[in-house]
Amino acid sequence: MAMGRPREFDTDTALDRAMEVFWQKGYEGASLAELTKAMGINPPSLYAAFGNKEALFRKAFDKYAAEKEAFFDELYRQPTARAVAEFYLRGAVTYLTDPKRPKGCLAINNTMACGDSADRIRQELLAKRAIGEARMRERLERAKREGDLPETADAAALTRYLSTVLQGMAVQALGGATREDLTQVAELAMKAWPST
């Protein structure tokens, strides 16, 4: 059996470039022409290395999620529920306003504006978000059991609160909000956090 030609591009770099296109344009808005141009490859190379556009998006999103794993590992090691919430929101501010990244959040940008052709991608992203929210809820339920949150605190509602604030900050960042703007939002959000 004849061996194919070796790849003449760095798949990791190409995946980073595809991620940026999906981040800026969304899954539906990213054309194959834009993707291949940004990645510096031709369509046959894209298909050979990554599969179709949907498979490319999944691989780009998996890389994005893997880059955030260290943040979430550290997040859940915070000693108190308040520290978890502050770390989460401050981390979001830093991430959402990183000048080396496109504006907003890849996951949120791609769940907000999806038509029927991207519904499968949207549903997958929403399912991944639900997994993250379940992990946050578990951490807050533990804090409640340990007396770190008041007995009256609702871990599910607090999780929705944090998620909603983060999603709002992502939309604001996409619209041009500065780090200072989002820091103010995070600080105001923490004023509503329950005290023990």
Short mmCIF file of all heavy atoms in Angstrom, two decimals, residues 54-87:
data_model
loop_
_atom_site.label_atom_id
_atom_site.label_comp_id
_atom_site.label_asym_id
_atom_site.label_seq_id
_atom_site.Cartn_x
_atom_site.Cartn_y
_atom_site.Cartn_z
N GLU A 54 -17.73 20.16 10.45
CA GLU A 54 -18.27 19.84 11.78
C GLU A 54 -17.21 19.16 12.64
O GLU A 54 -17.04 19.49 13.81
CB GLU A 54 -19.50 18.94 11.62
CG GLU A 54 -20.33 18.83 12.86
CD GLU A 54 -21.66 18.12 12.61
OE1 GLU A 54 -22.39 18.52 11.68
OE2 GLU A 54 -21.94 17.16 13.33
N ALA A 55 -16.48 18.23 12.06
CA ALA A 55 -15.41 17.55 12.80
C ALA A 55 -14.30 18.53 13.16
O ALA A 55 -13.74 18.47 14.25
CB ALA A 55 -14.85 16.40 11.97
N LEU A 56 -13.99 19.45 12.25
CA LEU A 56 -12.99 20.48 12.52
C LEU A 56 -13.43 21.35 13.70
O LEU A 56 -12.63 21.64 14.59
CB LEU A 56 -12.75 21.34 11.27
CG LEU A 56 -11.82 22.54 11.45
CD1 LEU A 56 -10.41 22.09 11.83
CD2 LEU A 56 -11.80 23.39 10.18
N PHE A 57 -14.69 21.74 13.71
CA PHE A 57 -15.18 22.56 14.82
C PHE A 57 -15.05 21.81 16.14
O PHE A 57 -14.60 22.37 17.14
CB PHE A 57 -16.65 22.98 14.61
CG PHE A 57 -17.16 23.81 15.75
CD1 PHE A 57 -16.95 25.17 15.78
CD2 PHE A 57 -17.81 23.22 16.83
CE1 PHE A 57 -17.39 25.93 16.86
CE2 PHE A 57 -18.24 23.97 17.92
CZ PHE A 57 -18.03 25.33 17.92
N ARG A 58 -15.43 20.54 16.14
CA ARG A 58 -15.34 19.75 17.38
C ARG A 58 -13.90 19.67 17.87
O ARG A 58 -13.63 19.80 19.06
CB ARG A 58 -15.90 18.35 17.15
CG ARG A 58 -17.41 18.32 17.09
CD ARG A 58 -17.93 16.89 17.11
NE ARG A 58 -19.37 16.92 17.00
CZ ARG A 58 -20.03 16.73 15.86
NH1 ARG A 58 -19.37 16.46 14.74
NH2 ARG A 58 -21.34 16.78 15.84
N LYS A 59 -12.97 19.45 16.95
CA LYS A 59 -11.55 19.37 17.34
C LYS A 59 -11.06 20.72 17.86
O LYS A 59 -10.32 20.79 18.84
CB LYS A 59 -10.71 18.88 16.17
CG LYS A 59 -10.92 17.41 15.90
CD LYS A 59 -10.16 16.92 14.68
CE LYS A 59 -10.49 15.44 14.48
NZ LYS A 59 -10.10 14.93 13.20
N ALA A 60 -11.49 21.79 17.21
CA ALA A 60 -11.10 23.13 17.67
C ALA A 60 -11.70 23.41 19.05
O ALA A 60 -11.02 23.94 19.93
CB ALA A 60 -11.56 24.19 16.66
N PHE A 61 -12.95 23.01 19.24
CA PHE A 61 -13.58 23.24 20.54
C PHE A 61 -12.93 22.39 21.63
O PHE A 61 -12.73 22.86 22.75
CB PHE A 61 -15.09 22.99 20.50
CG PHE A 61 -15.74 23.41 21.78
CD1 PHE A 61 -16.09 24.74 21.97
CD2 PHE A 61 -15.95 22.51 22.81
CE1 PHE A 61 -16.64 25.16 23.18
CE2 PHE A 61 -16.49 22.91 24.01
CZ PHE A 61 -16.85 24.25 24.20
N ASP A 62 -12.59 21.16 21.31
CA ASP A 62 -11.90 20.31 22.29
C ASP A 62 -10.57 20.92 22.71
O ASP A 62 -10.20 20.88 23.88
CB ASP A 62 -11.69 18.90 21.73
CG ASP A 62 -12.98 18.10 21.64
OD1 ASP A 62 -13.99 18.50 22.24
OD2 ASP A 62 -12.97 17.06 20.95
N LYS A 63 -9.86 21.52 21.77
CA LYS A 63 -8.59 22.18 22.08
C LYS A 63 -8.85 23.38 22.99
O LYS A 63 -8.14 23.62 23.97
CB LYS A 63 -7.88 22.61 20.80
CG LYS A 63 -6.48 23.13 21.00
CD LYS A 63 -5.79 23.33 19.65
CE LYS A 63 -4.30 23.51 19.77
NZ LYS A 63 -3.86 24.62 20.55
N TYR A 64 -9.87 24.15 22.67
CA TYR A 64 -10.28 25.30 23.48
C TYR A 64 -10.61 24.85 24.91
O TYR A 64 -10.14 25.44 25.89
CB TYR A 64 -11.50 25.95 22.80
CG TYR A 64 -12.26 26.96 23.60
CD1 TYR A 64 -11.86 28.29 23.64
CD2 TYR A 64 -13.44 26.62 24.27
CE1 TYR A 64 -12.58 29.23 24.33
CE2 TYR A 64 -14.17 27.55 24.96
CZ TYR A 64 -13.74 28.86 25.00
OH TYR A 64 -14.46 29.80 25.69
N ALA A 65 -11.39 23.80 25.03
CA ALA A 65 -11.78 23.29 26.35
C ALA A 65 -10.56 22.78 27.12
O ALA A 65 -10.45 23.01 28.33
CB ALA A 65 -12.83 22.19 26.20
N ALA A 66 -9.65 22.11 26.42
CA ALA A 66 -8.45 21.59 27.09
C ALA A 66 -7.59 22.72 27.64
O ALA A 66 -7.00 22.59 28.71
CB ALA A 66 -7.64 20.73 26.11
N GLU A 67 -7.55 23.84 26.92
CA GLU A 67 -6.78 24.99 27.39
C GLU A 67 -7.37 25.58 28.67
O GLU A 67 -6.66 26.21 29.44
CB GLU A 67 -6.72 26.06 26.30
CG GLU A 67 -5.86 25.68 25.12
CD GLU A 67 -5.94 26.66 23.96
OE1 GLU A 67 -6.65 27.69 24.07
OE2 GLU A 67 -5.28 26.41 22.93
N LYS A 68 -8.64 25.38 28.89
CA LYS A 68 -9.30 25.94 30.07
C LYS A 68 -9.33 24.97 31.26
O LYS A 68 -9.73 25.36 32.35
CB LYS A 68 -10.73 26.35 29.69
CG LYS A 68 -10.75 27.52 28.71
CD LYS A 68 -12.13 27.79 28.16
CE LYS A 68 -13.07 28.25 29.20
NZ LYS A 68 -14.39 28.61 28.72
N GLU A 69 -8.89 23.73 31.06
CA GLU A 69 -8.95 22.74 32.13
C GLU A 69 -8.18 23.14 33.37
O GLU A 69 -8.66 22.97 34.50
CB GLU A 69 -8.45 21.38 31.64
CG GLU A 69 -9.49 20.60 30.88
CD GLU A 69 -8.99 19.25 30.41
OE1 GLU A 69 -8.12 18.66 31.09
OE2 GLU A 69 -9.46 18.79 29.36
N ALA A 70 -6.98 23.69 33.20
CA ALA A 70 -6.17 24.09 34.36
C ALA A 70 -6.89 25.16 35.18
O ALA A 70 -6.86 25.13 36.42
CB ALA A 70 -4.81 24.60 33.90
N PHE A 71 -7.57 26.08 34.49
CA PHE A 71 -8.33 27.11 35.19
C PHE A 71 -9.41 26.47 36.06
O PHE A 71 -9.56 26.80 37.24
CB PHE A 71 -8.95 28.10 34.19
CG PHE A 71 -9.94 29.04 34.83
CD1 PHE A 71 -9.49 30.15 35.51
CD2 PHE A 71 -11.31 28.79 34.76
CE1 PHE A 71 -10.40 31.01 36.12
CE2 PHE A 71 -12.21 29.65 35.36
CZ PHE A 71 -11.76 30.76 36.04
N PHE A 72 -10.16 25.55 35.48
CA PHE A 72 -11.25 24.93 36.23
C PHE A 72 -10.75 24.03 37.36
O PHE A 72 -11.36 23.98 38.42
CB PHE A 72 -12.22 24.20 35.29
CG PHE A 72 -13.11 25.16 34.56
CD1 PHE A 72 -12.86 25.49 33.24
CD2 PHE A 72 -14.17 25.76 35.21
CE1 PHE A 72 -13.67 26.39 32.58
CE2 PHE A 72 -14.99 26.67 34.56
CZ PHE A 72 -14.73 26.99 33.23
N ASP A 73 -9.63 23.38 37.14
CA ASP A 73 -9.05 22.58 38.23
C ASP A 73 -8.70 23.47 39.41
O ASP A 73 -9.00 23.15 40.56
CB ASP A 73 -7.81 21.83 37.75
CG ASP A 73 -8.14 20.68 36.80
OD1 ASP A 73 -9.32 20.27 36.75
OD2 ASP A 73 -7.22 20.21 36.11
N GLU A 74 -8.08 24.61 39.12
CA GLU A 74 -7.73 25.55 40.19
C GLU A 74 -8.98 26.17 40.80
O GLU A 74 -9.06 26.38 42.02
CB GLU A 74 -6.79 26.63 39.66
CG GLU A 74 -6.21 27.49 40.76
CD GLU A 74 -5.15 28.47 40.27
OE1 GLU A 74 -4.66 28.33 39.13
OE2 GLU A 74 -4.83 29.37 41.05
N LEU A 75 -9.97 26.44 39.98
CA LEU A 75 -11.22 27.02 40.46
C LEU A 75 -11.83 26.17 41.56
O LEU A 75 -12.18 26.67 42.63
CB LEU A 75 -12.21 27.15 39.29
CG LEU A 75 -13.66 27.51 39.65
CD1 LEU A 75 -13.75 28.95 40.12
CD2 LEU A 75 -14.57 27.27 38.46
N TYR A 76 -11.94 24.89 41.32
CA TYR A 76 -12.63 24.02 42.29
C TYR A 76 -11.76 23.67 43.50
O TYR A 76 -12.26 23.09 44.46
CB TYR A 76 -13.17 22.77 41.59
CG TYR A 76 -14.26 23.17 40.61
CD1 TYR A 76 -14.11 23.00 39.25
CD2 TYR A 76 -15.42 23.79 41.07
CE1 TYR A 76 -15.10 23.41 38.36
CE2 TYR A 76 -16.41 24.19 40.20
CZ TYR A 76 -16.24 24.00 38.84
OH TYR A 76 -17.22 24.42 37.97
N ARG A 77 -10.50 24.08 43.48
CA ARG A 77 -9.65 23.91 44.66
C ARG A 77 -9.72 25.12 45.60
O ARG A 77 -9.10 25.11 46.66
CB ARG A 77 -8.19 23.67 44.23
CG ARG A 77 -7.94 22.28 43.71
CD ARG A 77 -6.45 21.97 43.63
NE ARG A 77 -5.72 22.89 42.77
CZ ARG A 77 -5.47 22.70 41.47
NH1 ARG A 77 -5.91 21.61 40.88
NH2 ARG A 77 -4.78 23.57 40.78
N GLN A 78 -10.45 26.15 45.20
CA GLN A 78 -10.55 27.34 46.06
C GLN A 78 -11.18 26.93 47.40
O GLN A 78 -12.07 26.07 47.44
CB GLN A 78 -11.36 28.43 45.38
CG GLN A 78 -10.74 28.96 44.10
CD GLN A 78 -9.35 29.51 44.31
OE1 GLN A 78 -9.13 30.41 45.10
NE2 GLN A 78 -8.39 28.94 43.60
N PRO A 79 -10.73 27.55 48.50
CA PRO A 79 -11.13 27.08 49.83
C PRO A 79 -12.57 27.38 50.24
O PRO A 79 -13.11 26.69 51.11
CB PRO A 79 -10.14 27.79 50.77
CG PRO A 79 -9.74 29.02 50.02
CD PRO A 79 -9.75 28.64 48.56
N THR A 80 -13.19 28.39 49.65
CA THR A 80 -14.56 28.75 50.03
C THR A 80 -15.42 28.96 48.79
O THR A 80 -14.89 29.17 47.70
CB THR A 80 -14.59 30.05 50.86
OG1 THR A 80 -14.16 31.13 50.01
CG2 THR A 80 -13.72 29.96 52.11
N ALA A 81 -16.73 28.92 49.00
CA ALA A 81 -17.65 29.17 47.88
C ALA A 81 -17.46 30.59 47.35
O ALA A 81 -17.49 30.81 46.13
CB ALA A 81 -19.09 28.95 48.34
N ARG A 82 -17.27 31.56 48.24
CA ARG A 82 -17.03 32.94 47.81
C ARG A 82 -15.76 33.01 46.96
O ARG A 82 -15.73 33.67 45.92
CB ARG A 82 -16.93 33.89 49.00
CG ARG A 82 -16.57 35.32 48.59
CD ARG A 82 -16.65 36.29 49.75
NE ARG A 82 -18.02 36.62 50.08
CZ ARG A 82 -18.76 37.50 49.41
NH1 ARG A 82 -18.27 38.12 48.37
NH2 ARG A 82 -20.00 37.75 49.78
N ALA A 83 -14.72 32.32 47.41
CA ALA A 83 -13.46 32.32 46.64
C ALA A 83 -13.66 31.66 45.28
O ALA A 83 -13.08 32.11 44.28
CB ALA A 83 -12.36 31.61 47.43
N VAL A 84 -14.48 30.61 45.21
CA VAL A 84 -14.79 29.97 43.93
C VAL A 84 -15.47 30.98 43.00
O VAL A 84 -15.08 31.15 41.84
CB VAL A 84 -15.69 28.73 44.13
CG1 VAL A 84 -16.27 28.24 42.80
CG2 VAL A 84 -14.92 27.61 44.81
N ALA A 85 -16.49 31.67 43.51
CA ALA A 85 -17.24 32.63 42.70
C ALA A 85 -16.34 33.78 42.24
O ALA A 85 -16.37 34.18 41.07
CB ALA A 85 -18.44 33.16 43.49
N GLU A 86 -15.52 34.30 43.15
CA GLU A 86 -14.62 35.40 42.78
C GLU A 86 -13.59 34.95 41.74
O GLU A 86 -13.33 35.67 40.77
CB GLU A 86 -13.92 35.94 44.02
CG GLU A 86 -14.85 36.76 44.91
CD GLU A 86 -14.19 37.21 46.21
OE1 GLU A 86 -13.12 36.67 46.60
OE2 GLU A 86 -14.76 38.11 46.84
N PHE A 87 -13.01 33.77 41.95
CA PHE A 87 -12.03 33.24 41.01
C PHE A 87 -12.66 33.05 39.63
O PHE A 87 -12.07 33.37 38.60
CB PHE A 87 -11.48 31.91 41.55
CG PHE A 87 -10.30 31.38 40.81
CD1 PHE A 87 -9.01 31.70 41.21
CD2 PHE A 87 -10.46 30.54 39.72
CE1 PHE A 87 -7.90 31.20 40.52
CE2 PHE A 87 -9.37 30.03 39.04
CZ PHE A 87 -8.09 30.37 39.43
#
